[in-house]
């Protein structure tokens, strides 16, 4: 299974609105964080996931599944 499919599978199986950082994804998937970050950026650009940046930690984006009905 590709990184993209794994990310979408995890996000689809958890409560809506739960957010994960790149470090979280590294622990969950056990894959290279650079590849994970690239895949997360592609999913965000495609509207599949939402990226949130905390004002206190703009260097640590959080990712969540795009809510149904929003794009």
């Amino acid at each position: 299974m590709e990184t993209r499919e794994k990310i979408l599978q995890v996000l689809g199986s958890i409560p809506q609105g739960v957010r994960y950082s790149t470090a979280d994804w590294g622990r969950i998937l056990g894959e290279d964080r650079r590849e994970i970050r690239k895949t997360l950026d592609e999913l965000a650009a495609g509207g599949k996931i939402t990226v949130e940046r905390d004002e206190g930690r703009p260097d640590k984006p959080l990712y969540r599944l795009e809510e149904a009905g929003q794009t």
Side-chain angles (χ1 to χ4, degrees):
M1 185 180 297
E2 291 185 28
T3 302
R4 175 186 175 94
E5 294 166 336
K6 289 178 185 177
I7 290 170
L8 291 174
Q9 181 180 21
V10 170
L11 287 174
S13 66
I14 60 174
Q16 192 71 14
V18 174
R19 304 171 303 166
Y20 289 111
S21 70
T22 306
D24 295 330
W25 283 113
R27 286 190 295 274
I28 292 168
L29 301 179
E31 296 186 21
D32 183 354
R33 289 184 188 173
R34 291 170 295 196
E35 181 63 30
I36 292 169
R37 174 71 64 115
K38 178 182 160 205
T39 302
L40 289 167
D41 289 344
E42 290 170 359
L43 287 168
K48 297 282 188 188
I49 63 173
T50 299
V51 181
E52 297 177 6
R53 295 189 186 274
D54 185 337
E55 290 180 24
R57 289 294 309 266
D59 61 319
K60 186 175 181 181
L62 298 172
Y63 302 89
R64 66 176 172 83
L65 193 60
E66 181 64 39
E67 294 184 32
Q70 293 183 2
T71 48

